[in-house]
Amino acid sequence: SHTLPVENLLNPETLRRLLWEPPEDTSVSGVADRLASLGARPWQVGLTAEALATVLAETVPTFVTDE
């Protein structure tokens, strides 16, 4: 558990960009890489990547084609 304010845990702009432009790979590793590319510090990635990967995996639509 931590006592950091949400805005210190992850920059709101970083979170917005992650959610509006999620990585194709929504695994923990894929989300961690995307967070790092958006400027999140390693400790921020460590505290948030797993939870965000879970949310993205459950909510990002998968497009199915009949090819």
Side-chain angles (χ1 to χ4, degrees):
S1 178
H2 59 81
T3 59
L4 290 172
V6 173
E7 63 274 9
N8 289 356
L9 188 57
L10 196 59
N11 181 304
E13 179 62 19
T14 300
L15 181 58
R16 244 187 321 275
R17 290 178 61 193
L18 174 75
L19 297 177
W20 280 100
E21 299 172 13
E24 287 186 30
D25 176 6
T26 58
S27 69
V28 174
S29 176
V31 172
D33 289 345
R34 178 75 171 127
L35 287 170
S37 76
L38 292 170
R41 294 179 176 100
W43 66 266
Q44 292 171 308
V45 172
L47 289 174
T48 62
E50 186 173 354
L52 291 170
T54 299
V55 168
L56 288 172
E58 294 174 356
T59 59
V60 173
T62 303
F63 296 100
V64 178
T65 61
D66 293 330
E67 293 181 34

